[in-house]
């Protein structure tokens, strides 16, 4: 039998679908899974009749691949990835290439790229986004590593990726762990948008007393607009319309209000703190998940901490697409992207990733979870100015802020009075208000720091560094 073009380790849902995608695009494949029974059932099921062979162990797996070998690992991030690398590398030869398609921490990828490249193997840390369907039909892919390693997989990933106007949603991201860094930030933005949409649903339900179907109708309207047309808005409508087959009631209302997380949102926020980038909308979405996990405590606290939840305010009507909430959602989604892009720019500088913001916006336009029409505007903004300090000062986005800020203010003020948490909306409002304020009260912070700790300060009217003996 002739040697296969492509190898896959890890037959989870993503792995299965990615290998089917590769095979459909003309890359004969060989698959390996730790438990061979999984390989067998895949080959007898979804992989049946396709140019996909199985391997019982890693030695056989490697021997069935043409050289230089291209091996995609779709396994749990962390120790499992290191173990597979250790187990497979004795069988690899110079020039062979491992691709980690999991959600790995970018520093782990930095280390692995350095280790594997020093042994003359190629190593690519590749963010893959799009969930199971995307993996099968065309995901967005964010590969990082050496340029030479990327070139060895370019023909493969360009065919496998989603295509937007015939442009594949994959590009060389940069060296080291940059691919996984970009995927991490993608997920941070994803956390933000998920929370933003959930806050809008909560207001429509609690303030507007709207049914699931009515709220779904609003999401359907939003999905027709340039500002909000996106995959996450689309699936929100689907989730809200789904019924519990047992009683025909809204399924969403049966789900416990505790959101899980696997780490990428947390890593986004930790990186932002490390790099000194302000990402309050993204942080608020992460914190909202943390708060949601305190279910038992919240149930008890509701009994003793008074709330003013009967307060009603104008959230708009279905006819005007819930205008104030729509404004709040649009500005918060823009903030989520803007903060993510800021973080990418800072990381690019700090880690010498040389990220191309325009290309990143381009490859997020299809296949991935945060795909949206807004990315077209984001791409344009970075095309016009690759060094744009913040998305909010691009002309199109300035107009959005000026038009929609009253709506956001109305929603945050009203929600506060109604006692309804809107962490992403209120963080966004503070972010915009802080960013557009030329004089913040940090002069007083500086005074206090100098007063108790002689930390010194600078003055608006003179050059130099000053200290005052504040307490006589
Ligand atoms: C994707 C997703 C996917 C997953 C994340 C977030 O781009 O396909 O980002 O990778 O949804 O791991 O998951 P959590 O919400 O569980 O952290």
């Amino acid at each position: 039998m002739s040697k296969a073009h492509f190898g896959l380790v890890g037959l989870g849902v993503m792995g299965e679908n990615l290998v089917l995608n590769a095979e459909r695009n003309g890359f004969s494949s060989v698959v390996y899974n730790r438990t061979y029974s999984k390989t067998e059932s895949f080959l007898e099921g979804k992989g049946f009749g396709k140019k996909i062979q199985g391997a019982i162990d890693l030695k056989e797996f490697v021997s069935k691949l043409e050289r230089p070998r291209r091996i995609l690992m779709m396994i749990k991030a962390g120790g499992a990835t290191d173990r597979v690398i250790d187990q497979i590398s004795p069988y690899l030869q110079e020039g062979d290439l491992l691709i980690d398609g999991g959600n790995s921490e970018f520093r782990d990828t930095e280390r692995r790229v350095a280790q594997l490249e020093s042994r003359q193997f190629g190593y690519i840390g590749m963010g893959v986004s799009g969930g199971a369907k995307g993996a099968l039909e065309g995901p967005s892919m964010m590969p990082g590593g050496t340029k030479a390693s990327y070139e060895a997989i370019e023909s493969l990933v360009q065919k496998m990726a989603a295509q937007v106007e015939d442009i594949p949603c994959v590009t060389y991201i940069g060296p080291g762990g940059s691919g996984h860094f970009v995927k991490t930030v993608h997920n941070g933005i994803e956390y933000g948008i998920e929370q933003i949409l959930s806050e809008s649903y909560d207001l429509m339900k609690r303030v507007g007393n709207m049914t699931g179907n009515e709220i779904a109708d609003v999401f359907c309207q939003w999905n027709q607009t340039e500002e909000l047309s996106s995959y996450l808005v689309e699936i929100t409508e689907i989730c809200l319309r789904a019924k519990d087959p047992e009683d025909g009631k809204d399924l969403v209302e049966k789900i416990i209000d505790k959101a899980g997380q696997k780490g990428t949102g947390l890593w986004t926020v930790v990186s932002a703190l490390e790099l000194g980038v302000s990402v309050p909308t993204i942080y608020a979405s992460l914190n909202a998940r943390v708060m949601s996990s305190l279910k038992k405590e919240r149930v008890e606290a509701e009994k003793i901490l008074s709330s003013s939840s009967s307060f009603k305010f104008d959230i708009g009507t279905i006819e005007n697409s819930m205008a104030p909430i729509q404004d709040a959602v649009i500005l918060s989604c823009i903030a989520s992207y803007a903060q993510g892009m800021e973080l990418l720019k800072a990381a690019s500088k700090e880690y010498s990733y040389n990220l191309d913001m325009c290309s990143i916006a381009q490859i997020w336009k299809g296949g991935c979870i945060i795909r949206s029409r807004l990315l077209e505007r984001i791409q344009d903004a970075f095309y016009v100015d690759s060094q744009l300090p913040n998305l909010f000062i691009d002309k199109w986005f300035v107009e959005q802020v000026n038009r929609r800020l009253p709506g956001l203010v109305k929603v945050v003020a009203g929600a506060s009075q109604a006692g309804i948490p809107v962490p992403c909306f209120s963080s966004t409002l503070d972010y915009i208000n802080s960013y557009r304020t030329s004089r913040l009260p940090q002069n007083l912070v500086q005074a206090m720091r100098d007063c108790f700790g002689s930390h010194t300060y600078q003055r608006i009217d003179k050059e130099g560094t000053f200290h005052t003996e504040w307490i006589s």
Side-chain angles (χ1 to χ4, degrees):
M1 195 181 275
S2 60
K3 304 247 180 193
H5 298 126
F6 169 67
L8 175 107
V9 178
L11 282 169
V13 188
M14 291 294 285
E16 281 188 358
N17 285 352
L18 283 166
V19 80
L20 291 170
N21 177 336
E23 196 269 352
R24 188 184 68 241
N25 281 295
F27 297 90
S28 59
S29 307
V30 51
V31 295
Y32 168 80
N33 195 70
R34 197 157 47 101
T35 41
Y36 186 62
S37 55
K38 184 95 185 53
T39 307
E40 280 180 319
S41 57
F42 173 70
L43 294 175
E44 286 159 13
K46 287 188 202 159
F48 187 74
K50 308 229 153 51
K51 287 193 178 120
I52 304 178
Q53 332 165 34
I56 205 153
D57 57 31
L58 284 170
K59 187 173 178 195
E60 185 196 357
F61 171 77
V62 170
S63 73
K64 285 183 164 175
L65 283 162
E66 69 176 19
R67 293 201 57 208
R69 300 179 176 97
R70 290 172 293 189
I71 300 168
L72 174 62
M73 301 181 291
M74 290 305 296
I75 45 187
K76 202 169 177 306
T81 306
D82 285 316
R83 278 192 292 282
V84 170
I85 295 170
D86 287 347
Q87 287 159 4
I88 203 169
S89 40
Y91 307 116
L92 299 179
Q93 290 167 289
E94 197 176 316
D96 289 349
L97 203 135
L98 290 176
I99 310 157
D100 171 14
N103 276 329
S104 289
E105 213 271 338
F106 82 103
R107 287 198 175 91
D108 283 342
T109 305
E110 295 282 345
R111 165 176 59 78
R112 291 171 189 146
V113 169
Q115 275 170 4
L116 277 286
E117 295 280 350
S118 72
R119 295 168 65 185
Q120 312 304 319
F121 304 139
Y123 193 89
I124 291 280
M126 182 167 78
V128 178
S129 178
K133 195 161 182 274
L136 183 65
E137 293 172 4
S140 171
M141 296 192 265
M142 295 146 248
T146 66
K147 192 81 200 275
S149 290
Y150 174 71
E151 278 160 7
I153 63 159
E154 190 171 37
S155 61
L156 172 76
V157 291
Q158 283 197 339
K159 286 217 174 78
M160 287 175 72
Q163 313 284 320
V164 173
E165 288 156 7
D166 293 332
I167 302 173
C169 293
V170 61
T171 189
Y172 174 62
I173 297 289
S178 60
H180 277 139
F181 190 88
V182 170
K183 176 59 174 32
T184 297
V185 174
H186 164 286
N187 283 20
I189 297 170
E190 172 187 305
Y191 275 44
I193 299 172
E194 287 166 352
Q195 173 65 21
I196 291 159
L197 300 181
S198 302
E199 288 176 20
S200 70
Y201 142 81
D202 205 26
L203 291 176
M204 284 186 256
K205 187 173 79 167
R206 292 171 63 182
V207 181
N209 290 318
M210 290 163 66
T211 64
N213 279 343
E214 285 171 337
I215 304 172
D217 288 343
V218 174
F219 278 91
C220 179
Q221 289 173 10
W222 289 355
N223 201 29
Q224 315 304 316
T225 63
E226 175 180 9
E227 293 88 344
L228 288 178
S229 172
S230 61
Y231 173 70
L232 284 169
V233 169
E234 182 189 320
I235 64 162
T236 306
E237 181 194 347
I238 293 172
C239 294
L240 287 166
R241 289 203 199 283
K243 305 292 173 221
D244 183 345
E246 285 181 20
D247 60 7
K249 294 202 171 131
D250 292 350
L251 183 57
V252 163
E253 301 309 324
K254 305 274 178 79
I255 298 176
I256 296 180
D257 52 326
K258 283 164 75 169
Q261 51 172 310
K262 293 192 212 73
T264 45
L266 171 71
W267 298 340
T268 304
V269 172
V270 169
S271 284
L273 293 173
E274 283 173 353
L275 293 167
V277 179
S278 178
V279 296
T281 307
I282 295 174
Y283 171 68
S285 68
L286 177 73
N287 191 53
R289 291 194 189 192
V290 175
M291 289 300 288
S292 82
S293 70
L294 306 176
K295 177 71 179 173
K296 259 197 189 151
E297 283 176 56
R298 288 189 285 116
V299 170
E300 291 311 309
E302 191 181 72
K303 295 176 193 158
I304 53 171
L305 297 173
S306 65
S307 125
S308 50
S309 55
S310 59
F311 180 83
K312 297 283 172 212
F313 62 100
D314 171 25
I315 56 167
T317 60
I318 297 183
E319 289 66 42
N320 71 9
S321 293
M322 317 305 294
I325 303 185
Q326 188 182 24
D327 289 340
V329 169
I330 291 171
L331 291 185
S332 302
C333 286
I334 293 172
S336 203
Y337 284 111
Q339 293 163 19
M341 293 316 228
E342 284 312 283
L343 181 51
L344 290 182
K345 279 195 321 199
S348 182
K349 203 163 157 206
E350 180 68 19
Y351 308 128
S352 307
Y353 283 161
N354 198 21
L355 299 179
D356 179 342
M357 307 302 289
C358 202
S359 309
I360 291 171
Q362 164 68 37
I363 65 162
W364 284 351
K365 277 163 50 182
C368 69
I369 304 295
I370 63 167
R371 62 184 184 262
S372 65
R373 274 178 69 189
L374 206 51
L375 279 158
E376 186 82 46
R377 293 288 182 181
I378 297 174
Q379 187 185 10
D380 288 351
F382 285 105
Y383 181 76
V384 172
D385 179 1
S386 63
Q387 301 308 313
L388 185 69
N390 189 303
L391 207 50
F392 275 114
I393 60 162
D394 170 82
K395 197 163 162 270
W396 189 84
F397 292 94
V398 168
E399 197 274 324
Q400 290 288 323
V401 174
N402 292 340
R403 178 145 55 100
R404 302 188 185 281
L405 205 58
L408 175 61
V409 170
K410 187 187 269 186
V411 167
V412 173
S416 304
Q417 283 186 280
I420 298 174
V422 283
C424 279
F425 292 158
S426 49
S427 303
T428 298
L429 181 56
D430 276 336
Y431 178 73
I432 296 174
N433 277 339
S434 298
Y435 192 63
R436 70 196 183 118
T437 297
S438 60
R439 183 152 171 89
L440 290 167
Q442 272 58 37
N443 48 330
L444 182 57
V445 172
Q446 287 295 78
M448 286 185 253
R449 292 175 67 237
D450 190 53
C451 176
F452 65 70
S454 305
H455 292 292
T456 72
Y457 58 91
Q458 287 167 309
R459 295 177 59 111
I460 55 171
D461 53 352
K462 296 181 213 171
E463 286 291 314
T465 301
F466 299 87
H467 167 64
T468 298
E469 288 303 321
W470 297 87
I471 303 166
S472 50

